[in-house]
Amino acid sequence: MKKKNKEAEPGAVPGLFGDIVPAPVPAKSGPLAFSYSKMSLYEECPLKYKFKYIDKIKEEPKFYFAFGNSIHTALEFLYSVKAPPFPSLEELLEAFRQDWNLKSYLEKGYRTPQRAEDDYQKGLVMLRAYYEHNRAAFKPPFLVEYSTDVEVDGLLVRTISDRIEHLGGGEIVIIDYKTGKDVKRQPSQLYMYQKISELDPRLKEKIAETYGQRVGAVRVRQLLYYHVPTLKEYTFERADDKEIGGFWERVLGVADSIKSIKFDPTPGEQACAWCDYKKLCPHFFGGHPQPAQRPPAAAENIEVLVDRYGRLKEKMDELQAQLAEVAENIGRAAKDGGEYAGSSYSAKVKKNSKWEFRDREAVIAVLNQFDLYQKALSLTLTGITHVLESDALPEPARKKLLEQAVKKTGYDIKVTKKPGA
Ligand code: SF4
């Protein structure tokens, strides 16, 4: 029997496994895990945030992240010294080489080995230039790749600073390496660093441990973006209380929306162009934008339309139930299928078996676990069935997918009206 349509739940959007009902934000008793990049993604598109952070569907690897990460790792290695001497240039390049070789070009997100090799060579040139340009000024930093989680206003905010220098008396400079084409001024990222660093109790302890100074407070004097490709420094002075206050209101607004499970898509040319979730997104059914929605009906007609909708829906449910029953009877009579004719219609009946997947979250978890998500993102429900039935599927993955699948026998019935009927 065909299942009756369930009432759509609030905020549900059509998806691969039927309606995607917003997954509740995990009901942890603790604060909401938050960061600047999470906020930026939510502001770009709440649904994209949901796919990434709530459903935990992996994005495809991006070569520019892989490149930036390897440069960061090499610079972390360079500055991870408590006292001179610093690593030699060869050792720095070796650190880069080792990190670069941890993944294949495809795992890094390159389309061809040549593109990856070009970037690898570019990285070597960049690091050589960095080393030569800065070697005279090398001095052990206060902190390198400093990651901290600070609890504030019901949020657990994570910041990761590439490097922090202590100027004395609790005053610090935060250095952030940039490896992209250009450095865009991003004051809001600076505000996040400033707010969190100044609230972070561990920073005071670290100053005491490293320099033997007990400071009453930590104060960010500057944030410095270091653009590695051009060896240029972009310095920003600390923000005033008004700027930080305005920024924090924005943070709390985004956090409230996440806690209230508001994940409606906000399509934009730029955001959608680079979005890996197009195939799951209701705005991009089948990879193409849906036609523009018709304007809502005039407010004065809404009561009439509601009644009409209700009546049509009742009729449709009734017809669908009848159709399912007749189809079931045809299937039973036709057994393995065939061609049959009534007085007005003829029908081709074909027996088939279909997989059905009950638990969308569980299927996504299996796809993620076995790195099949790239295929799944570009596939429909039928495609998932192909993944399941593919010879190339590893046995453990097949076993886990089968735990979520139910095989159903059904019939495809194609009817045509007889000429003149
Ligand atoms: S395709 Fe566009 S609207 Fe859909 S989730 Fe991605 S960014 Fe949002």
Side-chain angles (χ1 to χ4, degrees), residues 44-48 51 265-268 271-273 275-278 281-284:
E44 192 179 314
C45 174
L47 185 58
K48 198 170 177 178
F51 284 139
T266 52
C272 298
C275 181
D276 287 344
Y277 303 118
K278 283 202 264 296
C281 174
H283 181 75
F284 263 87

Side-chain angles (χ1 to χ4, degrees), residues 81-125:
V81 286
K82 296 271 175 258
F86 274 77
S88 66
L89 175 59
E90 263 322 303
E91 286 168 328
L92 172 69
L93 300 183
E94 181 56 27
F96 175 67
R97 198 172 294 132
Q98 280 185 15
D99 190 75
W100 188 259
N101 289 333
L102 288 177
K103 289 183 178 170
S104 70
Y105 75 95
L106 284 173
E107 286 170 319
K108 287 198 280 269
Y110 289 95
R111 293 227 172 109
T112 63
Q114 189 54 51
R115 290 286 306 275
E117 177 61 23
D118 290 350
D119 266 8
Y120 171 65
Q121 294 300 335
K122 193 171 91 185
L124 293 176
V125 170

Side-chain angles (χ1 to χ4, degrees), residues 238-259:
R238 66 177 281 109
D240 62 27
D241 291 350
K242 202 172 149 207
E243 285 170 308
I244 295 288
F247 167 71
W248 202 246
E249 284 299 312
R250 190 176 132 202
V251 168
L252 295 180
V254 169
D256 274 351
S257 299
I258 293 170
K259 288 179 187 168

